[in-house]
C-alpha cells in the first residue's frame, strides 16, 4: 500500500488530491461585453438601475484546468456571484463579504468554493455613461408615473405599480403628487458628481472545506491591493504558493502556511474523530435558537423539503452545512443546494426532498414569497429567527432532555440557548429587524418577550438556573483562557473556542444516535446472494428488520423512528454496512460510528433488546486532540517566494485586483518537494471521493461503484445543472424528476403491500392482518407526501398550501356547475327488493367523499383535508379510481399544469394509477383509526328469518352497537322497517351488537338471521350472524343476545348465504372442515382440535404487538371461538332427554351449583383448594343468574366462559365438574368429560391462558358486578 502510494507521489500522479486548493478564480464585470442585464436573476426593471442585477463573468482562473477536478465555469460563476454584479456609489456601504459554496457533481462528490466579494471603482467611461443613460430612462418613466392621473393610462404603467414578488420595492410606490425632492431621490447616480463602484470576487476552489483558513487567505490578498503599501512579494507568489506549495493537512495533523501578512493554520481530525467540519455551529444556534434548530434537524432527518432564507449567503451555507454535519453518521441523500442562484428559482418546484438556500434581499416579506409547494415544507427565515414547520411533525425522542443537554454546552461557552440574533450579526446595523417583525414573531411564538419566559425556560427550570450562571460562566471562561496562556496556541483563541464548541455540540448530537441505534447491527438483514444480484434487486430487498427494531423501542420514540427508518439516508447507511464487512473496508463515518457503538455496549452491559427511554448524556467528549494539534503544529508549508517573472510583471494599480500572469501560474513546481518529504502514507487518499467524510478506503473499484450506486438509488439529481439553462436542459431535469417520482411510487406501494400482505403470508392467513398504529401511519403519511409532491410538480399557479386539495376543489367547483342535478353521481340506488339482500351499496362519488371531509370540523387546513381524503379513499379502496376520475378532466389538468408536469405525462400517469390500484388488495382502517372523535352516520338493518313470518312480531326491538373506540347505548328500532340510521362519535372497528326486545304484544317471538351495520362514510359493512330466537319459551328463552361481528368483504355483500369466512378472524383451519363433514356430531379428537385452535388463536393474539391485535371478542365468542369449543366439550355425550324438551348446558351447570352449595354446607371435603374453587364457581353462577338482563341459557354460558377466561378459573372449574356426581347422571359413559386423560389434556391447554391479561369488552359482561 505504502509503496504504491509513494509511487503515485513521485510520479506526480496523485499528488493532485493533496493540494489545499485546486483553483484561484477572479469574477466580475467584463468591460469588453459591457452591461448585460441578468434577466434570469428574476429582478425587474422597476428597480432603480443601481439595484438591478447585471451579468458577471469569470474573468480569469488559474490554472487553466486540473484533471482530477475539471473547472466548471458556469457553476463557479453562478455561485461566486449568485445575484450577478452589484453597483454602488460612494454613498453606499461597501464592506467586503465572504461566503462559501458547494458544487455537487453527478456522482455525489463535492468541491467547495470560498469567495470574497468587494467593490472596485469603475474606471470604464462606457460603463459609467451606460449607467447614466439607464438612470435617465428610469427617471423619465418614474416621472410619468408621478404625473399620471390616479388611474394608470395603460398596462405598461400598471406594471410598475406591482412590485416583483421576490423583490418588492416599496419606495417606488409613490403618491401621485409630483415633487422635485422625490425625483432627486431616484436620481441617485450622476456621472458628474458620483463615483461608481462594481462588485468583484476572488475565490478559491478547494477539495475540502476549510472556510476559516480560506477566509484569511482571501482577506489578506484583498488587503494587499487595498492597503497603501504594496505587499512584500508580487501577488502571483502568494497565489502560486497556495495553489502548488500548500498541501492538505493529513488526517489528524495540523498545518501552518503563510498568507500575505500573517500565518494561517488549519487542522484536520484524525480517523477516529468526527469528520472534518470547520463552520461555526455557535453562529447557527445564535441565529435560530436550540428549539428551532431541533425542529429543523428533525425535518432534515425525515427528509422533508427544507428551504433556508436569508440575505447573507454565508448564513445559508453555515446553517445547511451544520445541519447536515449534525446528522452524523447519516448523510443527506437528496438535492443539496445551500445557495440557489437567482436564475434557478424554477428549481423550487422540484418534487423531491431538498435542502436549498434562497437569498432574500432583506426587504421582501415572507408572505410575498411564492413557493410552489408548502404541504410538506420546512421554511427557515434565518435572519428573523423564525421557522415554519409542516403539519404532524413528530417529536425528536427525549426532546426536552436533549435541549437541556445542548443548552448546557452552549451556556458553558457563553452562547444563549434561545439564540441571540443580534450577537451573531457582528454589526447590528445590518440587522433587518423591525418592531413589526418582533410583534408578528412573538405571535408565532418564536421570540420570547424576555429571554426568561421563552418556551425552553417554561419547560425546564434547570435551564433558568443555568441562565443565571451565564455571567459567572463567562468569567470563568476568561480565567481559563488566561491560565492557558503558557500553552502557546498557534491559532487565535476565538478559533480554538469555535473548534471546541463544535466538537462538544457535535458529540452531543452523535451520542443521541449511538444511544438510539446502539444495537442496530442485530437487525441488519444480510443478503444471502452475491453482490451483483443483490444490487439488481436492491429496490425489492428489505435490508433492516424494522418491525423487530421498533418493537424494542420505547413507545414515545415510535412516531419519529418509524418515519426515520423509511428514509433514503437510513437505507443508504444500512447498505454501506452490508457492503463493508470488515473494518478495513468501512467508510470513515461508519467506522467511527461503529467504534462508538461498541464503546456504549461495553459501558452498558445490558441485554441488548431491553430498551429504556432513560436519557443518557454524552460522556466521551475529547477536545484534547484538537488542542494538541494547534499547540504543536505538525507541518509547515513552504513560504511564498519570488517567481521567475519578467521585469515589470507583477506591478498593478493600487485599489484594483489585477489579472495575474497566467504563464507563471499555469503549472506547479516540477518536483513536488512536500510529496517526497512527508511520509507518503499520510497522503494516502482516494481520488475524487476524498471529501466530506466520504472517505472510502477501498481498493476494489467494484465496491466503490456499488456504494456509489447505492447512494444514487432513488435519487437521480443532487444539484441542478448549473450550466446553460436552455429549455432542453430544464426539460431533461424535469424528465428525471418524473421518472424518479414513478420509481418512488412503485417502491412505496410495494413496501406498503409487503408490510400488510407479508405478515398475512407469513402467518398463512392467521390473525388480523392490518398493521394499525404507528407504522401504518408512517407509510400512509409518506404516501400523502409523495402525492403532494406529484401534484405540485409543474403547477401553473399555486393556490393554497396543498396542491392536491386545490386540484380537488377546482374539480368539485366545475362538477357542481355541470351537475346541478345530482342524479348523475353514480348508479341509481337499489332498494331492498329481494327480501334482505343486505344494504344497498353506497354510491361511488369523489365529490361526496370530499364533502364528508369538508364536514369534519376538526380538520382546519388544506393539507389536513387532502390527507384525510387520501386516508378515506384508501379505506374505501377507491384511491386509484378517484384520482383517475380527477385526472380524466383533461381540460382542468391542462389549465392547472405546465406541459412538463408529471400529471401531464400520460404513460407515467397511467402506471402511477396502476400502482395505486394494488392497495385494493388489502384492508386499511387508516381513516377510522385516525379520526377517532368525528361524528359518523351508521346504518343498522336487522334481517329476520324468511322461514317464520317475522311480520307477526309485535314487540319493540332495540340494538346497541359497540366498537373498539366506543358504544352507542340502546337504540330503539322501528318494528316495521327494522332498520335505522343514526349518527354518533366514531365507534372504530365494530365488534359486537347487543340486541333484544321488550317482550310486549301477543307475538313476542323473533327469529333473527343476522344484523348488518354499515359506516356510511367509509362504507365498511359488518355482519353479525345470529340465527337464533329471541323470546320467552322459545329456544333458550333469551330476550337479548350479544352478537359478534365480522367485516364483510364487498363481493360477498350481496350473497344471501352466511359469510362463513370472517376476514378478521384467525384461520379456521381444520375446524371448518370437520363442521362441514359432520355438522351434527364431532368426535373427541375433533373437539380437542377445536379447543386447541381456539386457545391457539388467543395465544397468538397476545403475542402480537399491541397495536396489531385484532378483536379478542371474536376469538372468545365468534365462530369457532373458545365459547363454541367448550360448548362442544360439554355437549359431547350429553344424555338427550325426552322428546320436545331441550336441555341446555346451563341446566347442567345449575344442577352442579346446587350440589356444590349443599356439599359446601355439609363440608364434605376438607380440601381448602376445593373449597375456594367451589366458592368461586357458585359466586359466578349466582351473579350471572341474578343479572337484570334477559339473557338466555346459552348467553349465560357464554358469559361464564368469558369471566372464567378473564379470571383464569376455567381449568379449575372443569376439574371440579369432572368429579361432580351430577356429571355421572347427565352424561353417557363415552362422553369426553368422563375420559380422564382427555380431560387432563384439556385442563393443560386451558392453563396456557393463565399468563395473559384478558380484558373483556363491556358488552360481554354488562350487569355483572364481579
Amino acid at each position: 500500500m505504502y509503496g504504491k502510494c509513494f509511487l503515485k507521489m513521485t510520479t506526480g500522479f496523485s499528488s493532485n488530491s493533496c493540494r489545499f486548493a485546486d483553483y484561484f478564480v477572479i469574477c466580475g464585470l467584463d468591460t469588453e461585453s459591457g452591461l448585460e442585464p441578468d434577466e434570469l436573476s428574476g429582478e425587474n426593471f422597476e428597480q432603480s438601475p443601481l439595484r438591478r442585477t447585471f451579468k458577471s463573468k469569470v474573468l480569469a482562473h488559474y490554472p487553466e484546468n486540473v484533471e482530477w477536478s475539471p473547472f466548471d465555469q458556469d457553476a463557479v460563476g453562478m455561485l461566486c456571484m449568485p445575484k450577478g454584479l452589484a453597483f454602488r456609489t460612494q454613498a453606499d456601504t461597501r464592506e467586503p463579504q465572504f461566503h462559501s459554496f458547494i458544487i455537487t457533481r453527478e456522482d455525489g462528490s463535492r468541491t467547495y468554493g470560498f469567495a470574497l466579494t468587494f467593490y472596485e471603482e469603475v474606471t470604464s467611461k462606457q460603463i459609467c455613461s451606460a449607467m447614466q443613460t439607464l438612470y435617465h430612462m428610469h427617471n423619465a418613466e418614474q416621472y410619468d408615473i408621478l404625473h399620471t392621473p390616479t388611474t394608470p393610462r395603460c398596462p405598461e404603467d400598471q406594471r410598475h405599480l406591482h412590485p416583483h414578488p421576490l423583490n418588492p420595492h416599496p419606495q417606488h410606490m409613490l403618491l401621485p403628487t409630483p415633487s422635485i425632492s422625490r425625483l432627486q431621490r431616484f436620481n441617485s447616480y450622476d456621472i458628474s458628481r458620483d463615483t461608481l463602484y462594481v462588485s468583484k470576487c476572488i475565490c478559491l476552489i478547494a477539495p475540502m472545506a476549510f472556510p476559516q483558513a480560506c477566509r484569511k487567505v482571501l482577506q489578506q490578498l484583498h488587503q494587499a491591493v487595498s492597503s497603501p503599501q504594496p505587499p512584500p512579494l508580487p501577488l502571483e507568489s502568494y497565489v502560486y504558493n497556495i495553489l502548488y506549495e500548500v498541501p492538505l493537512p493529513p488526517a489528524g495533523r495540523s498545518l501552518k502556511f503563510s498568507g500575505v501578512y500573517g500565518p494561517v493554520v488549519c487542522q484536520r481530525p484524525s480517523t477516529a474523530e468526527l469528520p472534518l467540519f470547520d463552520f461555526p455551529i455557535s453562529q447557527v444556534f445564535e441565529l435560530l435558537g436550540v428549539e428551532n434548530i431541533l425542529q429543523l434537524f428533525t425535518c432534515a432527518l425525515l427528509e422533508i423539503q427544507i428551504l433556508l432564507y436569508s440575505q447573507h449567503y454565508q448564513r445559508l451555507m453555515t446553517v445547511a452545512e451544520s445541519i447536515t454535519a449534525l446528522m452524523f453518521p447519516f448523510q443527506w441523500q437528496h438535492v443539496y443546494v445551500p445557495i440557489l442562484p437567482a436564475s434557478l428559482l424554477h428549481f423550487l418546484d422540484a418534487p423531491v426532498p431538498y435542502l436549498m438556500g434562497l437569498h432574500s434581499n432583506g426587504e421582501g416579506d415572507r408572505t410575498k414569497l411564492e413557493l410552489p409547494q408548502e404541504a410538506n415544507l420546512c421554511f427557515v427565515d434565518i435572519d428573523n429567527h423564525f421557522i415554519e414547520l409542516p403539519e404532524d411533525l413528530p417529536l425528536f425522542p427525549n426532546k426536552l432532555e436533549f435541549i437541556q443537554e445542548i443548552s448546557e454546552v452552549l451556556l458553558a461557552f457563553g452562547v444563549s440557548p434561545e439564540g441571540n440574533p443580534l450577537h451573531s450579526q457582528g454589526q447590528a446595523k445590518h440587522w433587518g429587524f423591525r418592531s413589526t417583525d418582533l410583534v408578528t414573531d412573538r405571535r408565532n411564538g418564536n421570540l420570547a418577550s424576555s429571554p426568561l419566559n421563552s418556551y425552553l425556560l417554561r419547560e425546564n427550570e434547570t435551564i433558568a438556573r443555568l441562565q443565571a450562571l451565564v455571567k459567572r460562566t463567562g468569567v470563568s471562561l476568561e480565567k481559563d483562557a488566561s491560565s492557558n496562556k503558557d500553552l502557546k496556541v498557534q491559532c487565535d483563541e476565538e478559533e480554538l473556542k469555535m473548534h471546541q464548541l463544535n466538537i462538544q455540540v457535535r458529540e452531543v448530537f452523535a451520542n443521541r444516535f449511538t444511544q438510539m441505534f446502539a444495537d442496530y447491527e442485530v437487525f441488519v438483514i444480510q443478503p444471502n446472494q452475491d453482490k451483483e444480484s443483490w444490487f439488481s434487486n436492491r429496490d425489492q430487498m428489505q435490508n433492516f428488520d424494522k418491525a423487530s427494531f421498533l418493537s424494542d423501542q420505547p413507545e414515545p420514540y415510535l412516531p419519529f423512528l418509524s418515519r426515520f427508518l423509511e428514509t433514503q439516508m437510513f437505507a443508504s447507511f444500512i447498505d454501506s454496512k452490508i457492503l463493508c464487512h470488515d473494518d478495513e473496508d468501512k467508510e470513515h463515518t461508519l467506522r467511527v460510528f461503529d467504534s462508538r457503538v461498541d464503546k456504549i455496549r461495553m459501558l452498558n452491559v445490558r441485554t441488548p433488546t431491553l430498551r429504556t427511554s432513560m436519557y443518557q448524556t454524552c460522556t466521551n467528549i475529547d477536545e484534547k486532540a484538537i488542542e494538541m494539534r494547534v499547540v504543536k503544529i505538525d507541518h509547515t508549508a513552504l513560504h511564498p517566494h519570488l517567481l521567475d517573472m519578467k521585469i515589470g510583471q507583477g506591478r498593478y494599480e493600487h485599489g484594483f485586483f489585477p489579472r495575474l500572469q497566467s504563464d507563471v501560474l499555469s503549472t506547479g513546481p516540477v518536483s513536488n518537494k512536500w510529496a517526497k518529504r512527508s511520509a507518503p502514507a499520510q497522503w494516502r487518499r482516494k481520488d475524487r471521493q476524498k471529501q466530506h467524510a466520504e472517505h472510502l478506503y477501498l481498493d476494489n473499484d467494484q465496491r466503490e461503484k456499488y456504494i456509489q450506486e447505492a447512494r444514487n438509488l432513488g435519487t437521480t439529481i443532487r444539484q441542478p445543472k448549473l450550466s446553460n439553462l436552455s429549455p432542453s436542459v430544464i426539460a431533461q431535469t424535469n424528465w428525471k424528476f418524473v421518472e424518479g417520482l414513478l420509481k418512488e411510487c412503485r417502491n412505496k406501494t410495494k413496501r406498503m403491500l409487503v408490510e400488510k400482505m407479508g405478515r398475512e403470508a407469513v402467518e398463512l392467513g392467521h390473525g388480523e392482518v392490518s398493521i394499525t398504529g404507528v407504522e401504518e401511519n408512517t407509510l400512509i403519511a409518506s404516501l400523502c407526501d409523495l402525492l403532494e409532491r406529484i401534484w405540485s410538480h409543474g403547477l401553473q399557479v399555486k393556490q393554497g398550501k396543498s396542491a392536491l386539495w386545490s386540484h380537488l376543489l377546482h374539480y368539485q367547483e366545475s362538477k357542481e356547475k355541470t351537475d346541478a342535478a345530482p342524479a348523475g353521481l353514480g348508479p341509481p340506488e337499489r332498494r331492498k327488493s329481494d327480501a334482505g339482500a343486505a344494504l344497498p351499496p353506497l354510491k361511488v362519488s369523489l365529490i361526496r367523499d370530499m364533502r364528508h371531509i369538508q364536514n369534519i370540523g376538526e380538520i382546519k387546513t388544506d393539507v389536513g383535508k387532502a390527507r384525510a381524503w387520501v386516508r378515506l379513499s384508501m379505506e374505501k379502496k377507491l384511491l386509484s379510481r378517484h384520482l383517475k376520475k380527477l385526472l380524466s378532466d383533461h381540460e382542468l389538468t391542462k389549465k392547472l399544469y405546465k406541459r412538463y408536469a408529471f400529471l401531464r405525462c400520460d404513460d407515467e400517469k397511467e402506471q402511477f394509477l396502476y400502482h395505486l390500484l394494488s392497495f385494493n388488495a388489502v384492508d386499511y382502517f387508516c381513516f377510522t383509526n385516525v379520526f377517532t372523535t368525528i361524528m359518523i352516520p351508521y346504518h343498522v338493518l336487522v334481517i329476520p328469518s324468511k322461514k317464520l313470518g317475522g311480520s307477526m312480531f309485535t314487540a319493540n326491538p332495540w340494538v346497541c352497537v359497540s366498537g373498539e373506540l366506543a358504544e352507542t347505548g340502546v337504540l330503539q328500532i322501528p318494528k316495521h322497517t327494522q332498520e335505522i340510521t343514526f349518527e354518533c362519535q366514531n365507534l372504530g372497528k365494530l365488534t359486537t351488537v347487543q340486541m333484544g326486545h321488550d317482550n310486549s304484544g301477543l307475538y313476542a317471538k323473533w327469529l333473527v338471521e343476522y344484523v348488518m351495520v354499515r359506516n356510511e362514510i367509509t362504507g365498511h359493512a359488518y355482519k353479525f350472524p345470529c340465527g337464533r330466537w329471541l323470546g320467552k319459551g322459545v329456544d333458550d328463552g333469551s330476550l337479548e343476545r350479544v352478537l359478534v361481528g365480522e367485516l364483510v368483504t364487498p363481493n360477498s355483500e350481496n350473497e344471501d348465504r352466511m359469510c362463513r369466512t370472517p376476514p378478521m378472524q384467525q384461520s379456521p383451519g381444520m375446524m371448518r372442515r370437520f363442521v362441514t363433514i359432520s355438522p351434527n356430531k364431532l368426535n373427541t379428537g375433533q373437539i380437542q382440535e377445536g379447543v386447541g385452535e381456539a386457545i391457539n388463536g388467543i395465544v397468538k393474539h397476545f403475542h402480537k404487538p399491541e397495536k396489531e391485535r385484532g378483536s379478542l371478542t371474536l376469538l372468545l365468542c365468534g365462530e369457532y371461538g373458545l365459547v363454541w369449543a367448550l360448548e362442544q366439550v360439554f355437549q359431547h355425550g350429553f344424555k338427550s332427554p325426552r322428546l320436545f324438551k331441550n336441555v341446555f348446558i346451563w341446566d347442567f351447570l345449575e344442577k352442579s351449583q346446587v350440589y356444590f352449595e349443599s356439599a359446601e354446607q355439609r363440608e364434605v371435603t376438607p380440601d381448602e383448594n376445593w373449597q375456594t374453587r367451589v366458592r368461586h364457581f357458585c359466586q359466578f353462577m349466582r351473579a350471572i343468574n341474578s343479572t337484570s338482563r334477559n339473557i338466555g341459557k346459552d348467553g349465560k354460558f357464554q358469559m361464564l366462559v368469558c369471566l372464567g377466561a378473564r379470571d383464569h378459573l376455567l381449568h379449575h372449574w372443569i376439574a371440579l365438574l369432572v368429579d361432580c356426581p351430577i356429571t355421572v347422571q347427565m352424561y353417557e359413559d363415552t362422553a369426553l368429560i368422563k375420559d380422564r386423560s382427555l380431560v387432563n389434556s384439556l385442563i393443560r391447554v386451558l392453563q396456557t391462558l393463565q399468563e395473559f391479561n384478558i380484558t373483556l369488552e363491556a358488552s360481554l359482561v354488562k350487569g355483572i358486578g364481579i
Side-chain angles (χ1 to χ4, degrees), residues 6 25 28 37 89 113 145 147 177 181 224 278 448 451 521 559 567 569 633 649 663 690 753 848 1167 1184:
F6 189 76
V25 187
T89 65
I145 291 178
H147 285 82
T177 51
S181 61
D278 198 37
E521 293 187 45
T567 57
M569 72 177 76
I633 298 290
Q649 280 187 337
D663 51 349
K690 57 199 170 294
L753 289 173
R848 184 173 290 186
D1167 179 5
I1184 292 171

Side-chain angles (χ1 to χ4, degrees), residues 773-963:
V774 184
E775 197 153 1
E776 174 169 294
N777 270 336
T778 301
L779 294 172
I780 288 185
S782 77
L783 176 74
C784 292
D785 168 37
L786 173 66
L787 293 175
E788 283 294 358
R789 292 207 313 260
I790 287 178
W791 255 258
S792 57
H793 182 235
L795 256 183
Q796 296 274 17
V797 180
K798 181 174 159 287
Q799 293 154 321
K801 283 204 169 185
S802 161
L804 174 57
W805 190 248
S806 154
H807 192 169
L808 283 166
L809 287 173
H810 279 291
Y811 177 79
Q812 187 180 19
E813 198 184 333
S814 68
K815 281 291 163 281
E816 281 172 352
K817 275 181 200 152
T818 52
D819 304 351
L825 277 175
E829 291 212 15
R830 286 189 297 120
R831 283 311 301 143
K832 191 178 65 186
S833 52
D834 46 326
L839 297 161
L842 283 175
K843 284 186 234 167
V844 173
S845 156
L846 166 62
I847 306 279
R848 184 173 290 186
D849 285 349
M850 281 184 70
R851 291 216 195 98
H852 286 314
I853 302 298
Q854 286 160 329
N855 294 337
I856 300 176
E858 287 92 329
I859 308 176
K860 305 278 189 265
T861 62
D862 285 358
V863 176
K865 285 175 184 159
R867 286 185 183 177
W869 182 84
V870 171
R871 283 174 179 281
L872 178 58
S873 307
M874 291 274 288
E875 191 161 319
K876 295 178 87 162
K877 304 191 177 187
L878 291 173
L879 183 61
S880 180
R881 187 166 164 182
H882 277 349
L883 291 177
K884 189 171 188 161
K885 185 102 180 112
L886 174 68
L887 296 171
S888 63
D889 186 339
H890 297 297
E891 283 313 303
L892 181 61
T893 315
K894 259 193 191 134
K895 190 174 95 183
L896 297 178
Y897 289 91
K898 297 180 181 139
R899 181 65 201 91
Y900 65 75
F902 181 92
L903 296 177
R904 290 185 62 188
C905 302
D906 293 336
D907 291 355
E908 281 64 31
K909 187 176 72 185
E910 283 307 309
Q911 285 184 54
F912 155 72
L913 291 170
Y914 175 72
H915 288 313
L916 293 184
L917 195 58
S918 56
F919 287 136
N920 294 3
V922 290
D923 294 331
Y924 279 100
F925 291 91
C926 47
F927 180 81
T928 308
N929 288 341
V930 169
F931 299 102
T932 51
T933 57
I934 62 175
M935 298 301 284
I936 288 185
Y938 290 93
H939 186 103
V940 178
L941 174 65
V942 180
I943 308 286
S945 168
K946 296 191 212 94
K947 302 181 194 82
L948 299 147
S951 53
M952 294 149 56
F953 177 56
T954 56
N956 299 303
W958 56 267
V959 293
C960 168
V961 184
S962 309

Side-chain angles (χ1 to χ4, degrees), residues 607-666:
T607 51
T609 50
L610 194 79
R611 304 289 295 163
T612 63
S613 50
M614 233 192 58
Y615 189 82
Q616 291 168 312
T617 50
C618 179
T619 47
N620 59 342
I621 299 181
D622 175 28
E623 316 157 16
K624 287 287 162 281
I626 203 161
E627 235 170 84
M628 293 312 299
R629 287 199 287 273
V630 291
V631 169
K632 183 185 152 294
I633 298 290
D634 299 301
H635 300 271
T636 306
L638 283 179
H639 282 285
H641 49 85
L642 274 170
L643 301 174
D644 184 13
M645 288 164 69
K646 300 189 181 68
I647 293 177
Q649 280 187 337
R651 290 215 190 117
Y652 48 86
E653 210 178 324
H654 165 64
F656 293 93
F657 203 95
R659 297 213 181 179
L660 304 175
Q661 301 297 319
S662 51
D663 51 349
V664 291
L665 294 177
S666 58

